[in-house]
Amino acid sequence: MEIVLEHILSEYYPRIKAFVSSRVSNPSDVDDLLQDILIKSYQNLDSVESTSSLKSWLFQIARNTIIDYYRRQKNSRQIPAKELWYDDMDTNIQHPLAKCVIPFMEALPTAQRELLKAIDLEGQSQKEYAAFQGLAYSTLKSRVKKSRNAMRSLFEDCCHLIVDGKGNIMDYTKKSHICHKDCC
């Protein structure tokens, strides 16, 4: 697969620049970071598996470059913790699709719903749940996987998802009318 760097620049550069500018206030630092992102993109272009993952791949490079920038800044001088947006990134940001979890979970068959509620929402360990239900741990693991796949199918029926290599949702587009009324 051949991805042309010019295509990347024309298609995604304005979005990447806006993304970086929203997180870094100094315009000259923004320019430096954009240059770093461009270099990293060029050097690793052959690692992109498909053009459909290009956007999430670029934004992951941008995100990591910004985090590295703030870590270097933190090491060179003391920055107030409130300015380090990446330190609490996962705890304070709620994904817009989070409001779909409960309605979608309620749409699952009872056994799958109860399983996911206990393990994914209430934090019960899979081993504890298996023992409580009198199931072999390996059986429970396959049921968890099947239930999570069913849940993911509900999300994919509702939205076109763009995910990174770890399965994190990077972006989504709602499908016209298919989604549950309380979602998106």
Side-chain angles (χ1 to χ4, degrees), residues 92-106:
N92 291 334
I93 296 174
Q94 186 173 20
H95 197 281
L97 292 177
K99 60 186 170 187
C100 299
V101 171
I102 299 299
F104 286 168
M105 201 171 274
E106 293 298 326

Side-chain angles (χ1 to χ4, degrees), residues 17 20-22 24-35:
K17 184 174 183 176
V20 174
S21 296
S22 71
V24 177
S25 59
N26 184 335
S28 63
D29 288 341
V30 169
D31 291 339
D32 291 344
L33 291 172
L34 288 169
Q35 185 175 4

Side-chain angles (χ1 to χ4, degrees), residues 69-83:
Y69 163 78
Y70 277 111
R71 285 185 179 146
R72 282 190 309 271
Q73 295 292 322
K74 185 177 181 181
N75 290 337
S76 65
R77 64 179 174 88
Q78 207 55 351
I79 299 174
K82 64 182 180 185
E83 290 183 33

Side-chain angles (χ1 to χ4, degrees), residues 7 12 25 60 70 92 114 116 171:
H7 167 74
Y12 299 107
S25 59
Q60 190 64 45
Y70 277 111
N92 291 334
E114 297 305 318
L116 290 180
D171 199 8

